[in-house]
Amino acid sequence: MAIRFVHVFDAANDARRLEQVQRIFRSYFGQVYGAYADRIPELLQRDRADRRTVLITAERPGGPVLAFALAFHYPQLGTSLLDFIVVDPTVRQRGVGGALYEALREYLARTGSSALYLEVRPDDPELEPDPARRRENRARIRFYERYGARVIAGTAYEQKRPGRTEGEPYLMFDPLGDARQPAADEVRAMMEALLYDKYGYSRDDPYPRGIIASVLEDPASLQPPRAPARNGAAQQDAAPVAPRVPITRAVSRPLKVLIPPQHALHHVRERGYVERPVRVARIVEALRTLDAVEIVDGRRFGEEPILAVHDPDFVRYLEAVCSTLPADRAVYPYVFPIRFPDRKPVDEEVQAGYYCIDTFTPLTYNAYIAARAAADCALSGAELVRAGEHLVYAICRPPGHHAERRVYGGFCYFNNAAVAANVLSTDGRVAVLDVDFHHGNGTQDIFYERADVLTISIHGDPGYAYPYFAGFADERGAGAGEGYNHNFPLPENVTDEQYLATLDRACRLIVDFSPRSVVVSLGLDIAKGDPTGAWLVTPDGFMRIGAALAGLGLPTLVVQEGGYDTRVIGRNARAFLNGLQHGGHERRTHTS
């Protein structure tokens, strides 16, 4: 079962999904809310500054939608509202509703929401006279209570309206894992959103004003949890059974980590070659101190995903030369001919300069093998994201963001992030954010004329930093891709605060682009003291960078790029991922 997030309706990719959501909605509610089903695409297309629509679906891979959750996040309130969670009435698979609610809670916690509010029908005999409905309502309340949600007590929210025999819904409060009661102002603000925004009452109407004014206790009181139903009575009428242990705010699903097993084969034992296997070992060692991390196996892919972003002639060249080199020999470019097809050198080793942009990236027997494994690592990460994982970290080595469509360099052979982003783009728009100290010239080159992949790079100004020839602010894309490439070249000695200010600008570009997913080219060489960088980013800065990206609330694939100070590389990777997992809210001691 895959979990999919739809933030903005994309007709090319979401039409089938939305049709199935609307079908499930109508089959469950009949004509009661029939017109509401027609509004769902409009709600996704017309986000407001004070309200963001979130649609999450549970579906079989390549198959039908099984269930959906529709929610609204109110950034100004810092809280969210679950509008509907509906399982297809024909589905007999247990746990679908629980998995969907877990995914929604995780998403909201990562976007900075402090609580999730929802309405449920009452189980009080004075508010619901029908015994069968009371049992059904109580079972549904108990489902949410297993996650720590409680019915708000002591207000007039659920009171009977004049002339009615049954009460209005309870208002429930889910603190998303935090042990707290809601403040009175917070409850009033959410009631206003419900009564005025959702139900359309006039602000002059005394009925909603009286309900809002009835919130007197601060913090608001919560009803105690319901007693367990006897022998599971009425359980089948409620949402599917959820786990008994509430999901914490910190992490509800583990961070999936992939490591290419062949990376250590690529070991250039020459003085000054800083791209060494120990980089991966230090990162993996540090990750073991994070909670909820799961190292998973990737799989091998064919050449097709690589050939989709790299020139076939270039790929054939790397494979042919590397396979013929002795194990103890490295070929470095030293002649750089003008790159026209009719001027290619005859000698294959001399051709290295035809396909390379520098003099320090060697070809060796194992370089092609390791580069293919790194690309497979990134592709496996993309596959996990497509299957519904929210956070995946591909510790690719060798790195890839300097590899252009038809050239290699900067320790990079195949562009791992671009290969993964291209695959993810089949599901909708993708944003690639490069936070390496060096400009991601390869990623820029590959997507420069495309509008479906937004490329953003924050890096050292090419006036003083590698690769020197690309990464200028006026490089904005071309053709269909004009305006979809953004460079932020920065001076030397950039501090945490300066970096985060630029990152905020980059994140706003991503939000405006409304991608389906994000690929982060993670360069740990922005750290203070890195031998290839010139900035001053601290472990706390790395954690705040991760937290800022968590605030995007998007499925995220992190692809490892640079970072060469092996004394601190693990600590900085851990700090970044700590921020990405927890949104910067918890476990700050891990960065010390």
Side-chain angles (χ1 to χ4, degrees):
M1 182 174 65
I3 303 295
R4 302 290 189 189
F5 294 77
V6 181
H7 304 290
V8 177
F9 178 61
D10 182 344
N13 296 285
D14 296 324
R16 178 192 62 83
R17 184 170 289 115
L18 263 294
E19 287 175 2
Q20 294 186 45
V21 165
Q22 291 171 311
R23 174 188 58 78
I24 294 171
F25 193 99
R26 295 188 183 100
S27 66
Y28 191 89
F29 290 107
Q31 297 302 315
V32 178
Y33 296 107
Y36 192 92
D38 299 331
R39 291 184 55 212
I40 295 176
E42 178 185 353
L43 290 171
L44 289 165
Q45 287 174 317
R46 297 188 178 181
D47 267 353
R48 303 181 336 208
D50 63 336
R51 189 191 72 189
R52 186 182 187 193
T53 306
V54 181
L55 176 66
I56 304 178
T57 63
E59 49 195 77
R60 294 190 178 96
V65 174
L66 306 176
F68 72 89
L70 184 69
F72 301 111
H73 177 58
Y74 296 89
Q76 296 174 352
L77 306 181
T79 55
S80 302
L81 170 68
L82 173 60
D83 206 16
F84 291 99
I85 182 168
V86 186
V87 179
D88 188 335
T90 65
V91 170
R92 296 292 179 262
Q93 181 176 335
R94 290 176 62 85
V96 177
L100 201 58
Y101 191 61
E102 289 178 39
L104 176 64
R105 296 178 79 238
E106 177 180 352
Y107 168 81
L108 294 174
R110 293 186 190 284
T111 56
S113 186
S114 63
L116 173 62
Y117 287 81
L118 58 144
E119 293 179 297
V120 290
R121 296 300 308 171
D123 62 344
D124 186 324
E126 294 186 4
L127 302 174
E128 177 51 76
D130 188 313
R133 289 181 180 174
R134 282 203 307 273
R135 288 193 297 271
E136 179 180 341
N137 294 347
R138 174 160 292 204
R140 185 164 287 107
I141 292 168
R142 290 185 60 249
F143 165 76
Y144 293 113
E145 286 179 341
R146 288 189 174 95
Y147 292 92
R150 295 289 183 270
V151 174
I152 295 175
T155 77
Y157 194 81
E158 65 270 14
Q159 70 180 5
K160 292 182 183 178
R161 296 194 65 181
R164 300 192 62 172
T165 59
E166 60 183 28
E168 296 299 319
Y170 288 139
L171 183 60
M172 291 192 78
F173 164 76
D174 182 344
L176 301 178
D178 281 353
R180 71 177 183 93
Q181 293 175 256
D185 286 345
E186 179 182 316
V187 175
R188 294 189 198 104
M190 184 50 64
M191 286 183 176
E192 288 186 7
L194 277 158
L195 296 169
Y196 298 139
D197 188 34
K198 178 179 178 180
Y199 293 119
Y201 285 103
S202 168
R203 291 187 177 269
D204 296 327
D205 191 328
Y207 171 70
R209 291 168 62 185
I211 293 175
I212 295 166
S214 72
V215 183
L216 300 175
E217 298 184 21
D218 192 13
S221 296
L222 303 174
Q223 292 185 10
R226 272 61 177 161
R230 294 180 180 177
N231 301 320
Q235 195 68 38
Q236 70 274 14
D237 296 324
V241 178
R244 293 187 179 274
V245 180
I247 295 175
T248 65
R249 179 178 176 82
V251 179
S252 60
R253 283 189 294 175
L255 166 73
K256 296 294 194 299
V257 176
L258 296 136
I259 308 165
Q262 296 93 337
H263 83 88
L265 293 175
H266 181 57
H267 194 175
V268 180
R269 303 175 187 274
E270 296 184 6
R271 186 177 181 85
Y273 197 85
V274 295
E275 207 289 283
R276 298 178 291 162
V278 68
R279 300 172 59 240
V280 174
R282 293 286 186 271
I283 292 173
V284 173
E285 180 182 355
L287 295 190
R288 299 191 188 282
T289 63
L290 286 175
D291 40 327
V293 170
E294 181 183 354
I295 296 178
V296 297
D297 293 330
R299 71 178 182 89
R300 292 185 176 182
F301 295 76
E303 280 190 333
E304 184 177 353
I306 295 175
L307 294 174
V309 301
H310 286 297
D311 182 78
D313 181 65
F314 163 65
V315 176
R316 294 279 77 80
Y317 171 75
L318 288 184
E319 181 180 20
V321 174
C322 292
S323 64
T324 60
L325 289 173
D328 59 350
R329 183 161 181 222
V331 172
Y332 287 89
Y334 67 97
V335 174
F336 295 88
I338 298 174
R339 292 189 176 95
F340 293 109
D342 58 345
R343 291 291 185 268
K344 186 188 300 182
V346 176
D347 187 282
E348 285 190 337
E349 292 189 11
V350 176
Q351 285 180 23
Y354 183 81
Y355 292 104
C356 190
I357 61 174
D358 58 46
T359 61
F360 57 81
T361 304
L363 296 180
T364 66
Y365 179 82
N366 289 316
Y368 177 82
I369 297 172
R372 280 291 303 271
D376 285 342
C377 180
L379 286 166
S380 296
E383 190 173 62
L384 287 170
V385 171
R386 296 185 74 194
E389 292 297 335
H390 192 74
L391 290 180
V392 181
Y393 180 23
I395 311 180
C396 296
R397 183 182 174 271
H401 72 144
H402 292 306
E404 299 183 1
R405 176 166 176 77
R406 57 181 303 275
V407 297
Y408 67 98
F411 307 138
C412 304
Y413 301 93
F414 294 137
N415 196 312
N416 309 311
V419 170
N422 188 62
V423 169
L424 288 170
S425 72
T426 61
D427 289 334
R429 287 174 289 189
V430 180
V432 182
L433 174 62
D434 194 317
V435 297
D436 191 280
F437 175 76
H438 306 94
H439 176 243
N441 58 288
T443 311
Q444 171 175 295
D445 172 72
I446 289 168
F447 296 117
Y448 204 63
E449 297 185 10
R450 287 176 56 170
D452 60 329
V453 179
L454 175 72
T455 50
I456 303 173
S457 182
I458 305 173
H459 52 268
D461 192 300
Y464 74 90
Y466 184 92
Y468 307 107
F469 61 82
F472 298 94
D474 60 357
E475 295 165 357
R476 302 267 301 167
E482 185 173 357
Y484 294 95
N485 185 84
H486 297 270
N487 289 323
F488 293 96
L490 300 180
E492 296 179 299
N493 300 316
V494 167
T495 63
D496 289 350
E497 298 304 327
Q498 291 170 318
Y499 190 94
L500 289 161
T502 303
L503 180 64
D504 181 67
R505 295 171 61 193
C507 287
R508 279 186 270 130
L509 288 170
I510 294 173
V511 170
D512 291 343
F513 184 65
S514 298
R516 181 66 57 84
S517 57
V518 175
V519 176
V520 178
S521 280
L522 175 61
L524 298 170
D525 48 3
I526 63 176
K528 180 179 180 179
D530 190 275
T532 69
W535 290 349
L536 308 173
V537 177
T538 68
D540 183 68
F542 275 104
M543 188 183 69
R544 293 165 66 190
I545 292 168
L549 299 184
L552 295 171
L554 292 166
T556 301
L557 170 62
V558 179
V559 176
Q560 186 61 49
E561 301 289 358
Y564 306 102
D565 187 344
T566 56
R567 300 168 301 172
V568 299
I569 190 173
R571 181 175 64 179
N572 291 332
R574 181 179 61 201
F576 171 82
L577 294 168
N578 187 25
L580 190 63
Q581 282 187 299
H582 304 287
H585 293 294
E586 301 186 18
R587 291 168 177 79
R588 298 174 74 92
T589 55
H590 282 173
T591 67
S592 61

